Amino acid sequence: MLELDDVTYRYPGYARHALDGVDLAIRDGEVVGLTGPNGSGKSTLCLVASGLAPAAVGGELGGEVRVDGATLRGLRPHQLAGRTGLVFANAEAQRTRVAATVFEEVAFGAVNLGLPVAETVARTRAALTALGIDELAERHPARLSGGQAQLVAIASMLAMRPRHVALDEPVAELDGPGRRLVADALRALSATGTGLLVAEHDLDLLATLASQVVEMRDGRIERMGPPAEVPGPSAEAPRDALPPVADNPATEVAIRCEGLAYDYPDGTRALDGIDLSIQAGERVAIVGRNGSGKTTLVRTWNGLLRPTSGTVEIAGQSTAGQHVAALARSLGLTFQDPDHQIFARTCRDEVAFGARNVGPARGDLDAAVNEALEAVGLAREAGTNPYDLGPSRRRLLALASVLAMRTPIVVLDEPTMGLDPNERARVEVIVAALAAAGRTVVAITHDEQFVGAAFQRVVRLTSGRVIADSRVATVEPKTPPAAR
Ligand SMILES: Nc1ncnc2c1ncn2[C@@H]1O[C@H](COP(=O)(O)OP(=O)(O)OP(=O)(O)O)[C@@H](O)[C@H]1O
Ligand SMILES: [Mg+2]
């Protein structure tokens, strides 16, 4: 049994309590779901329940966290292994950085538990198979798609078989089949007696897994009960701040790929002959399984990756010979992991950076930055350090940076990942507003609800090829944004 008894927690350097009077018990083999708006304390509760806060993070803990009646207080991080485990929302934060292959990465924790070699190998194989990633075993763990990396992080936890595990949005980056494999693996793990705490916005998924769902608000437990009795946070209508209108409309064909192939330096063929044409003003969703080539495709569009063969044209011009900075005038791209994009000390500087280099003329720069921050709901955080925002708001900040560039083409790599219902509604409004202003919007997503709400056309990739390309009837957005 994992017990939290009147737990309060404060991060180092903060006056505010991130958790405030939390009582929770997870029995052996029980799955408890954790939901609530971003910023409500879900990730902190995962850290505290696994003992990593304060053991690894620092900060100040009040109350008690106990496993099988024994307090975790005073245990060092390595002493927690085997008792508790944590799967981070960001797989990159969890990666060991010492393993040369996925197999070694998954085996690492089990090896450190001092298990016999044969047992470690058996557990590692079983974990890879459970998550459908056997074929990644010999790959380098840093050279994977976002979803593949998330599966590797979960497999590493499975191989350790801890008594209790907290998982912070374990399926946020996964496609449908990947989600089902993770749900099955977690069910199997709980059947062996492991207690699980699963933070997740997808209440349908929690309903298939959890016996109890806890809803957090402002560091406290707001509600707790069987999944059917916890409706989860509802979306309030976002204020309709308008992203800026393009002052340089794209030519007729915004994006054209012909025979496009891309091989990574390690020989992995990620794109295998893509023929695709996107008209100016279209709203296109790119979908497909983890590792199907979605991120690779859009990275060829802004020149971050150069085709191995075939061609890419943006706004009528081949990308060959065009610099990343030149392409950025036509096409703005947000990254799947916003932390690969963010570097400035304040939100305002972050959003101004790209705009200053490629975007609106000087006089309009402040207006563009303010509008973009307003559109994503971060106007009041202009002076805040991006790393003091939670991960979902950093994702919105990265979106604001691209909006402020006022490019005719806007490409978003998984813009709703990890967002709560309010934040997601905001992104839907932004896509509609961009479209109303004549901009081309392309988004990579696993989020079917987002596809239905915001896009007209769906392009599906499999193994680096387009296998389906269809128009969909969109539910037209309820708040039609007026063009300026
Ligand atoms: N840096 C890299 N080096 C080698 N191979 C890579 C690298 N990055 C990605 N790959 C491989 O290229 C293929 C396509 O990956 P990509 O990131 O484009 O997929 P994706 O469709 O965006 O997946 P996800 O939904 O998980 O983000 C996969 O087989 C992946 O393992
Ligand atoms: Mg991707």
Side-chain angles (χ1 to χ4, degrees):
M1 168 114 99
L2 173 75
E3 291 165 284
L4 282 80
D5 188 359
D6 194 20
V7 163
T8 61
Y9 176 74
R10 235 178 4 208
Y11 283 99
Y14 284 80
R16 198 175 73 91
H17 280 109
L19 295 179
D20 191 3
V22 172
D23 289 307
L24 182 65
I26 303 175
R27 292 189 306 278
D28 293 358
E30 188 184 19
V31 183
V32 173
L34 186 56
T35 188
N38 285 325
S40 60
K42 301 187 301 297
S43 297
T44 309
L45 186 54
C46 289
L47 279 169
V48 167
S50 64
L52 284 181
V57 180
E60 202 179 288
L61 181 76
E64 282 296 346
V65 181
R66 285 188 292 265
V67 170
D68 300 335
T71 181
L72 298 184
R73 199 174 277 281
L75 295 186
R76 310 280 304 278
H78 70 272
Q79 296 171 311
L80 295 166
R83 292 175 221 234
T84 62
L86 175 64
V87 175
F88 288 81
N90 182 341
E92 181 61 18
Q94 178 146 358
R95 192 161 60 78
T96 61
R97 292 177 169 70
V98 296
T101 65
V102 165
F103 192 92
E104 287 171 30
E105 177 75 25
V106 172
F108 184 85
V111 167
N112 283 349
L113 288 177
L115 298 171
V117 174
E119 170 76 9
T120 302
V121 169
R123 285 186 182 197
T124 302
R125 292 225 170 95
L128 293 171
T129 302
L131 299 181
I133 51 172
D134 306 83
E135 76 282 6
L136 298 181
E138 297 310 316
R139 295 275 301 277
H140 193 286
R143 298 182 200 127
L144 299 172
S145 78
Q148 289 169 337
Q150 193 165 37
L151 289 167
V152 169
I154 297 170
S156 306
M157 179 278 293
L158 289 179
M160 291 175 72
R161 300 191 187 158
R163 295 270 296 126
H164 292 280
V165 193
L167 300 104
D168 193 358
E169 301 194 35
V171 300
E173 271 182 276
L174 301 186
D175 56 41
R179 281 170 184 238
R180 284 190 283 282
L181 285 175
V182 169
D184 290 346
L186 294 182
R187 238 175 261 121
L189 184 63
S190 76
T192 68
T194 296
L196 303 173
L197 179 65
V198 185
E200 177 56 51
H201 290 299
D202 182 346
L203 292 168
D204 294 338
L205 183 99
L206 285 185
T208 69
L209 268 181
S211 55
Q212 296 279 314
V213 174
V214 169
E215 186 179 330
M216 301 282 295
R217 182 169 293 271
D218 297 332
R220 296 171 162 275
I221 292 182
E222 167 112 332
R223 241 192 299 239
M224 182 162 21
E229 289 171 22
V230 178
S234 57
E236 295 149 23
R239 289 190 295 138
D240 53 347
L242 285 183
V245 177
D247 47 11
N248 45 351
T251 48
E252 220 166 281
V253 179
I255 299 163
R256 192 203 305 274
C257 305
E258 270 171 13
L260 172 62
Y262 182 79
D263 296 336
Y264 280 99
D266 69 359
T268 304
R269 169 141 290 212
L271 301 178
D272 192 21
I274 300 259
D275 294 307
L276 177 66
S277 181
I278 295 175
Q279 303 298 306
E282 276 193 290
R283 276 173 287 155
V284 182
I286 297 186
V287 303
R289 300 245 8 215
N290 294 123
S292 58
K294 304 180 297 294
T295 296
T296 307
L297 175 63
V298 302
R299 287 179 157 235
T300 68
W301 295 350
N302 78 338
L304 281 176
L305 299 176
R306 300 293 176 175
T308 303
S309 58
T311 57
V312 177
E313 278 176 27
I314 301 299
Q317 281 197 307
S318 167
T319 58
Q322 284 196 72
H323 226 264
V324 173
L327 286 162
R329 286 177 216 285
S330 307
L331 183 145
L333 170 66
T334 64
F335 290 11
Q336 184 166 349
D337 183 346
D339 294 351
H340 290 164
Q341 181 174 341
I342 289 171
F343 67 96
R345 296 243 178 105
T346 67
C347 291
R348 172 178 299 284
D349 287 351
E350 183 63 43
V351 173
F353 178 79
R356 186 177 293 124
N357 286 307
V358 302
R362 194 162 286 172
D364 282 347
L365 182 66
D366 278 350
V369 170
N370 289 337
E371 268 174 339
L373 285 169
E374 180 78 18
V376 300
L378 288 175
R380 277 191 288 163
E381 308 292 347
T384 302
N385 185 319
Y387 284 93
D388 287 337
L389 303 174
S392 65
R393 299 217 285 169
R394 285 206 296 284
R395 184 171 297 278
L396 291 169
L397 179 67
L399 170 57
S401 304
V402 165
L403 293 178
M405 286 161 60
R406 294 184 171 174
T407 51
I409 306 168
V410 175
V411 183
L412 310 171
D413 197 345
E414 306 212 9
T416 63
M417 193 177 104
L419 268 49
D420 67 25
N422 268 311
E423 294 166 332
R424 177 220 293 259
R426 208 175 257 290
V427 175
E428 286 171 6
V429 168
I430 288 171
V431 171
L434 288 168
R439 320 269 283 274
T440 311
V441 188
V442 182
I444 293 174
T445 187
H446 294 291
D447 181 340
E448 283 167 22
Q449 188 186 325
F450 179 52
V451 172
F455 296 91
Q456 313 164 303
R457 179 178 166 195
V458 179
V459 172
R460 180 172 295 274
L461 300 191
T462 295
S463 305
R465 292 165 176 270
V466 174
I467 59 144
D469 187 343
S470 52
R471 308 216 145 255
V472 287
T474 25
V475 188
E476 281 307 320
K478 282 179 218 83
T479 33
R484 284 200 317 160

